Amino acid sequence: MCGRYSITTAPEALRRLFAVSDMINLEPRYNMAPMQTAPVIRTRDGERHMDRLRWGLVPAWAPDESRAASLINGRSETVAEKPAFRDAYAKRRCLVPADGFYEWQKRGSGKQPYRVSLEGNRPFAFAGLWERWQKGVEPVETFTLLTTEADPRIAHIHHRMPVILASPDEFSVWLDGESAARSALLRPYAEADLIFAPVSKRVGNVRNDDPALMEALDETEDARDEAPLPPKQGSLF
């Protein structure tokens, strides 16, 4: 499961990396949380556009928005089959820019958060899906992140990880490629530049959103700065 992530890369660097034709104003986010709006990249009229969508998928056929909090993630192994995701997987894929994500490792009766990123805080994208729900007063656009088995290097932290796309070629395949090529991207990130480190438990509180959340703690340091754990959200679908 992925329930928190960061996106702090400068907008111009994101525009170049993702070849976006138009950008939105972005401020650094160190603790992006479910049900908040976040930047996503979609193909429209043959060009890539960056838009703000709410994190937590609401399928177009859903009678209401109540399932959004439970559909922040989708299992890549079954995404082509499950009713909540299959239509979006076929027709509405997106890139979700990020430069790190957080997972919680069970330790005794508590949990220790870790930040997982690429060396140099290099930006990348999560493989995402988006939907437009139009049964309310106004249309609501939402997205979800796809997950896969964790790479062995971080499986001791959590057994799942988001699908990471790190190159322009992968971006193009995910947005516009053939089905077989897209499916091949739904795997653990296995490149050598994957890094991880324990971080402050302050990240468990959505009200905390500052650069200190990204700072690595010494592995021998006891992170005693208590804060609420993130709510149990995700998807088993």
Side-chain angles (χ1 to χ4, degrees):
M1 187 185 90
C2 177
R4 299 289 174 82
Y5 68 92
S6 62
I7 174 61
T8 65
T9 306
E12 178 58 22
L14 292 177
R15 187 192 66 77
R16 293 195 303 267
L17 175 63
F18 294 107
V20 175
S21 62
D22 56 354
M23 287 288 296
I24 58 178
N25 293 325
L26 294 177
E27 295 183 355
R29 291 298 311 276
Y30 305 94
N31 195 11
M32 190 71 74
M35 306 305 290
Q36 296 180 344
T37 58
V40 305
I41 296 163
R42 304 180 286 185
T43 300
R44 189 168 61 250
D45 301 325
E47 296 185 333
R48 293 180 188 172
H49 300 265
M50 181 177 285
D51 304 300
R52 290 187 189 275
L53 276 64
R54 193 179 71 195
W55 185 11
L57 197 76
V58 180
W61 47 260
D64 54 46
E65 301 180 62
S66 61
R67 295 187 66 188
S70 67
L71 295 179
I72 64 169
N73 294 162
R75 292 176 67 92
S76 61
E77 296 89 341
T78 57
V79 69
E81 307 164 6
K82 295 298 183 179
F85 305 116
R86 63 190 177 198
D87 194 51
Y89 176 61
K91 304 174 184 176
R92 289 179 291 280
R93 296 174 301 280
C94 63
L95 302 170
V96 183
D99 50 35
F101 65 95
Y102 303 97
E103 287 292 1
W104 277 255
Q105 180 190 56
K106 291 184 178 179
R107 290 189 180 181
S109 60
K111 292 184 179 182
Q112 172 60 48
Y114 278 73
R115 185 169 188 266
V116 183
S117 61
L118 306 186
E119 289 181 352
N121 208 40
R122 181 163 70 94
F124 55 86
F126 298 124
L129 308 176
W130 69 274
E131 278 280 17
R132 180 180 291 111
W133 185 77
Q134 303 186 84
K135 297 183 180 181
V137 176
E138 295 183 355
V140 177
E141 292 190 328
T142 60
F143 73 95
T144 190
L145 309 180
L146 298 188
T147 66
T148 184
E149 292 184 0
D151 182 84
R153 289 167 292 177
I154 59 172
H156 65 290
I157 302 172
H158 195 276
H159 68 286
R160 304 286 295 178
M161 69 180 297
V163 174
I164 291 176
L165 309 176
S167 72
D169 287 345
E170 291 177 331
F171 304 155
S172 296
V173 169
W174 180 246
L175 289 176
D176 304 306
E178 297 296 326
S179 177
R182 297 198 311 266
S183 296
L185 297 176
L186 302 178
R187 75 288 187 252
Y189 186 82
E191 301 301 320
D193 60 347
L194 186 74
I195 60 175
F196 57 93
V199 293
S200 170
K201 290 183 179 179
R202 292 178 57 247
V203 74
N205 189 328
V206 68
R207 291 173 294 183
N208 297 323
D209 190 11
D210 56 78
L213 300 180
M214 297 169 53
E215 295 177 3
L217 301 178
D218 190 301
E219 284 281 7
T220 62
E221 183 179 348
D222 184 6
R224 299 184 184 277
D225 47 335
E226 296 297 333
L229 293 175
K232 291 184 179 180
Q233 296 170 306
S235 173
L236 298 178
F237 297 93

